């Protein structure tokens, strides 16, 4: 029944010319309401147009470090304080409105002022809506934070607020706008590839209330609406192959979730450091590799379609910055050329279009820390080769790839360079602790902690919320959403990282969304659906 509902919704959207994923229906264009002194540049009183409540002495205007212009609002006190800047905006028509504010926040004691600053809309005739301003201590970069509310009347009150018990907490605001329309998180995803193997070796998953259950259902109930499943060709441990993916897809579909199929085109992990040719394809030249890619893609997607669980999104390769099928076969080195890589990508993409023409095709890169120009060049080359794709997919781990400001700037640049494309962060994660639950060293350690985001359950939740908000607020509502990577990969003996070594451990359990007692962590709240009107 759920599959039929998804198909009907997709068919209706197609008939209406509506893109289901990542698009918000908008009404007629509406004039932007007037916000007084939105950039805090008024030559009169420092906060002209804004009402200051609470500890009024904490609110000032600074004439340096602005986002735009020369001035910015500043909230700070050496002690605990609650201070709010408020302005009621009138002349609104009924409908959704989105507040966007450039902001920075942090504390004199790094990481000690988590989630104390927020922007919001209230008095719109509906419930207050707010968004937390994330810490920007990593690089002190400006991040545009956005939140939407539904107005039933003709006015809304803009609120910029810090409430903290920590002395030295600070927040900066600049360039406030209120425009018609709504931002959403169409994809609130989870990579669940590890679930079958974990369960086979005895993993147990529990709700936050300590009740054991199906992890797919537990995550669905928290609000996860998309699953990402990786596919290997002939893995040594028999997991993440076609049969296992088909079984998992049935569970995902039964939960009413969308499905992203992540083809690695390998027998094991594919990433920038390893794009290994499957053993069965080792002797193939480029033409045979392309045929194998097409056949494998067709086989898996056809089987998914035939069992009534079609893919909604398809990823052609995983973190393919250096190419695909690069090492370990007769064609090693040859596929590093763009002509050859284009041949392989088109083989996978065209096979996808043939089997599942309405599925969105994702090309997935990482290494944002190398500069957005490198990523832009890569996607330009893919376009030049005639590779069809719909979604720019990025990995973003803040302890490797840069700050939230870096992500926002890069994503905005990429969307501007590729009109008509959408963008998703298809991998992100963060640690809820620096401890480990097995003998295998973890990837996320004390050295990985991003300034402003402690390695706690609250820090993990805050980090995911911040990444989601960056993507949701991208121009033109072209941000699809975020997939949390391998949030179900808890520490279970036998379910290690190496498919060829049953004794290998798990270096990821402290970034899972279940704690060391198997209970769902507070990051669950960040998957809740967007509010209705």
């Amino acid at each position: 029944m759920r599959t039929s509902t998804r198909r009907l919704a997709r068919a209706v959207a197609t008939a209406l010319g509506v893109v289901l994923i990542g698009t918000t229906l908008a009404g007629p264009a509406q004039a932007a309401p007037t916000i007084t002194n939105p950039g805090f540049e008024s030559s009169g009183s420092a906060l002209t147009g804004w009402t200051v409540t609470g500890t009024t002495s904490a609110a000032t205007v600074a004439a340096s470090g602005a986002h735009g212009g020369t001035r910015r609002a500043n909230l700070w006190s050496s002690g605990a304080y609650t201070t709010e800047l408020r302005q009621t905006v009138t002349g609104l028509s009924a409908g959704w409105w989105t507040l966007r504010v450039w902001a920075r926040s942090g504390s004199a004691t790094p990481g000690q002022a988590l989630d104390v600053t927020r922007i919001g809309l209230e008095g719109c005739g509906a419930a207050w809506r707010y968004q937390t301003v994330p810490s920007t201590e990593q690089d002190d970069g400006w991040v545009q934070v956005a939140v939407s509310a539904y107005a039933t009347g003709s006015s809304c009150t803009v609120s910029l607020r810090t409430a903290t018990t920590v002395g030295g907490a600070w927040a900066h605001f600049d360039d406030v706008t209120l425009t018609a329309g709504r931002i959403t998180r169409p994809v609130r995803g989870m990579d669940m590839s590890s679930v079958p193997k974990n369960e086979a070796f005895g993993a147990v998953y529990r709700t936050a209330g300590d009740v054991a259950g199906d992890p797919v259902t537990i995550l669905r109930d928290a609000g996860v609406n998309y699953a990402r499943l990786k596919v290997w060709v002939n893995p040594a441990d028999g997991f993440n192959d076609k049969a296992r993916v088909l079984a998992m897809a049935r569970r995902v579909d039964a939960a009413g979730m969308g499905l992203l199929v992540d083809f690695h085109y390998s027998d094991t992990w594919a990433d920038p450091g390893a794009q290994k040719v499957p053993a069965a394809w080792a002797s193939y030249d480029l033409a045979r590799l392309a045929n194998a890619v097409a056949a494998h893609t067709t086989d898996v997607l056809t089987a998914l379609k035939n069992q009534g669980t079609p893919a909604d999104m398809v990823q052609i390769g995983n973190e393919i910055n250096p190419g695909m099928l690069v090492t370990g076969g007769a064609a090693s080195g040859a596929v590093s050329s763009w002509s050859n890589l284009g041949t392989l990508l088109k083989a996978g993409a065209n096979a996808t279009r043939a089997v599942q023409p309405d599925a969105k095709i994702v090309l997935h890169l990482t290494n944002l820390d190398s500069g957005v120009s490198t990523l832009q060049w890569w996607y330009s080359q893919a376009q030049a080769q005639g590779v069809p794709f719909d979604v720019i997919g990025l990995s973003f781990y803040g302890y490797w790839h840069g700050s939230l400001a870096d992500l926002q700037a890069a994503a905005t640049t990429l969307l501007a360079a590729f009109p008509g494309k959408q963008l998703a962060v298809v991998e992100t994660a963060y640690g809820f602790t620096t401890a480990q639950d097995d003998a295998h060293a973890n990837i996320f350690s004390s050295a990985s902690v991003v300034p402003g985001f402690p390695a706690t359950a609250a820090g993990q939740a805050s980090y995911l919320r911040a990444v989601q908000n960056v993507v949701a607020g991208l121009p033109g509502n072209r941000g699809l959403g975020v997939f949390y990577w391998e949030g179900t990969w808890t520490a279970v003996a036998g379910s290690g990282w190496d498919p060829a070594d049953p004794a290998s451990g798990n270096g990821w359990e402290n970034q899972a969304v279940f704690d060391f007692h198997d209970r769902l962590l507070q990051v669950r709240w960040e998957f809740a659906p967007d509010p209705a009107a």
Side-chain angles (χ1 to χ4, degrees):
M1 182 62 69
R2 289 187 178 93
T3 299
S4 298
T5 301
R6 285 169 54 201
R7 285 178 171 170
L8 177 61
R10 189 183 294 118
V12 170
T14 300
L16 295 176
V18 175
V19 179
L20 267 181
I21 304 176
T23 299
T24 302
L25 297 179
Q30 302 176 59
T34 300
I35 296 178
T36 302
N37 195 18
F40 306 98
E41 299 290 332
S42 174
S43 58
S45 173
L47 290 165
T48 296
W50 297 90
T51 299
V52 183
T53 62
T55 307
T56 57
S57 61
T60 59
V61 169
S64 63
H67 172 262
T70 59
R71 306 209 296 177
R72 58 171 167 79
N74 183 56
L75 300 183
W76 176 85
S77 176
S78 60
Y81 71 97
T82 297
T83 303
E84 185 175 23
L85 309 181
R86 297 169 60 86
Q87 183 173 159
T88 298
V89 181
T90 60
L92 306 183
S93 56
W96 286 100
W97 291 87
T98 296
L99 172 68
R100 297 176 187 269
V101 182
W102 287 93
R104 302 187 293 197
S105 76
S107 173
T109 305
Q112 295 301 304
L114 188 68
D115 297 341
V116 301
T117 297
R118 65 190 189 187
I119 68 167
L121 290 168
E122 60 179 89
C124 305
W128 162 308
R129 302 298 179 201
Y130 70 88
Q131 182 58 249
T132 300
V133 175
S135 168
T136 57
E137 293 171 18
Q138 187 173 4
D139 66 350
D140 204 23
W142 286 94
V143 176
Q144 190 179 62
V145 185
V147 65
S148 298
Y150 192 89
T152 58
S154 60
S155 65
C156 277
T157 296
V158 174
S159 169
L160 314 177
R161 181 175 186 264
T162 296
T164 176
T165 59
V166 178
W170 54 268
H172 301 159
F173 303 109
D174 207 350
D175 297 331
V176 181
T177 62
L178 184 63
T179 55
R182 182 190 187 193
I183 65 165
T184 60
R185 297 166 302 143
V187 172
R188 305 181 304 279
M190 177 68 64
D191 192 308
M192 302 183 190
S193 301
S194 61
V195 166
K197 188 172 183 179
N198 251 35
E199 289 178 329
F201 283 93
V204 176
Y205 297 91
R206 302 179 183 278
T207 67
D210 209 25
V211 178
D214 179 350
V216 179
T217 303
I218 290 172
L219 290 168
R220 185 274 312 278
D221 291 346
V224 173
N225 69 347
Y226 245 87
R228 180 176 185 251
L229 301 177
K230 65 173 171 278
V231 186
W232 289 341
V233 176
N234 188 25
D237 60 5
F239 289 90
N240 301 302
D241 63 359
K242 184 180 87 170
R244 299 281 188 173
V245 168
L246 287 171
M248 190 64 183
R250 291 192 290 271
R251 295 170 64 179
V252 166
D253 187 73
M257 296 180 183
L259 174 62
L260 166 57
V261 177
D262 172 16
F263 285 98
H264 282 221
Y265 301 112
S266 181
D267 293 335
T268 187
W269 302 97
D271 55 47
Q275 294 284 338
K276 297 179 180 178
V277 177
W281 305 355
S283 64
Y284 293 0
D285 61 14
L286 180 64
R288 292 189 70 191
L289 281 176
N291 288 337
V293 165
H296 174 61
T297 305
T298 299
D299 182 39
V300 174
L301 294 182
T302 300
L304 286 167
K305 184 177 180 179
N306 288 344
Q307 74 170 9
T309 62
D312 298 283
M313 300 171 70
V314 177
Q315 193 176 302
I316 308 300
N318 191 78
E319 295 188 334
I320 52 177
N321 300 59
M324 285 173 21
L325 303 162
V326 175
T327 60
S332 295
V335 296
S336 61
S337 78
W338 255 105
S339 175
N340 294 337
L341 178 55
T343 296
L344 296 175
L345 291 173
K346 284 184 286 188
N350 290 336
T352 298
R353 287 278 192 259
V355 177
Q356 198 65 43
D358 57 347
K360 289 187 176 288
I361 293 175
V362 183
L363 296 183
H364 174 205
L365 300 184
T366 185
N367 294 351
L368 177 61
D369 52 312
S370 295
V372 68
S373 60
T374 301
L375 304 185
Q376 185 174 335
W377 171 84
W378 195 101
Y379 286 110
S380 295
Q381 294 297 312
Q383 277 196 330
Q385 291 293 319
V387 179
F389 70 100
D390 307 295
V391 180
I392 296 167
L394 299 179
S395 290
F396 181 75
Y397 299 96
Y399 46 83
W400 286 331
H401 300 138
S403 69
L404 296 167
D406 291 333
L407 173 62
Q408 189 167 70
T412 301
T413 296
L414 290 171
L415 289 176
F418 301 101
K421 307 302 182 187
Q422 296 173 297
L423 185 143
V425 169
V426 295
E427 291 188 22
T428 195
Y430 198 74
F432 64 88
T433 179
T434 56
Q436 56 191 70
D437 200 26
D438 66 8
H440 191 83
N442 287 337
I443 290 172
F444 185 95
S445 66
S446 58
S448 308
V449 176
V450 175
F453 295 93
T456 62
Q460 179 190 54
S462 185
Y463 194 81
L464 176 59
R465 183 189 318 128
V467 175
Q468 286 180 323
N469 191 248
V470 166
V471 176
L474 290 173
N477 281 15
R478 291 162 64 195
L480 286 181
V482 175
F483 287 86
Y484 195 98
W485 193 74
E486 289 285 19
T488 56
W489 196 11
T490 55
V492 182
S495 184
W497 70 272
D498 187 351
D501 181 6
S504 62
N506 172 7
W508 203 258
E509 75 271 9
N510 65 336
Q511 296 187 77
V513 299
F514 294 85
D515 67 15
F516 293 169
H517 300 285
D518 308 318
R519 296 171 301 207
L520 189 62
L521 288 155
Q522 72 183 68
V523 71
R524 67 188 183 277
W525 299 113
E526 309 314 324
F527 297 103
D530 297 313

